[in-house]
Amino acid sequence: VVKDNINEKLNFISSNIKKIGDVSCKYFVKDNRKKGGSYKEYIGKIKKVDANKKCLVFVDGTIINFLDIYNISLEDFLYFDI
């Protein structure tokens, strides 16, 4: 259910990318030294939803893989009817 919600948000972002400001993305980062990892939060403007590479690309070059995403918040989204 959570992944379905994320997929809906990714589809929405992809279709409205020029209308969306900053998004908040909570994602998992694997710990390379031991088992497990931690969750990080990144806030920024998305440049591209890359369906082929299965990742979000932000304008500053940050890349987050779809499978690592725990949540995406579009709280700052304002819809402008064109």
Side-chain angles (χ1 to χ4, degrees):
V1 174
V2 172
K3 285 294 179 189
D4 289 340
N5 187 12
I6 291 171
N7 287 336
E8 288 175 20
K9 289 179 182 180
L10 291 172
N11 288 332
F12 181 81
I13 291 167
S14 184
S15 298
N16 298 281
I17 201 154
K18 293 185 179 185
K19 301 175 186 177
I20 296 174
D22 286 351
V23 299
S24 172
C25 185
K26 190 171 187 179
Y27 63 102
F28 184 77
V29 177
K30 182 180 174 185
D31 189 323
N32 292 325
R33 293 180 292 194
K34 60 180 168 79
K35 189 174 181 178
S38 62
Y39 285 94
K40 305 284 184 187
E41 183 176 21
Y42 180 82
I43 299 172
K45 181 159 177 51
I46 295 174
K47 176 180 179 181
K48 180 180 180 182
V49 178
D50 193 329
N52 293 326
K53 294 182 180 177
K54 298 184 173 143
C55 64
L56 291 177
V57 180
F58 289 83
V59 295
D60 70 351
T62 299
I63 297 173
I64 300 174
N65 292 317
F66 290 168
L67 293 176
D68 295 335
I69 297 172
Y70 176 74
N71 190 27
I72 301 173
S73 175
L74 304 172
E75 294 173 5
D76 294 336
F77 175 74
L78 297 174
Y79 184 79
F80 296 99
D81 207 12
I82 297 176

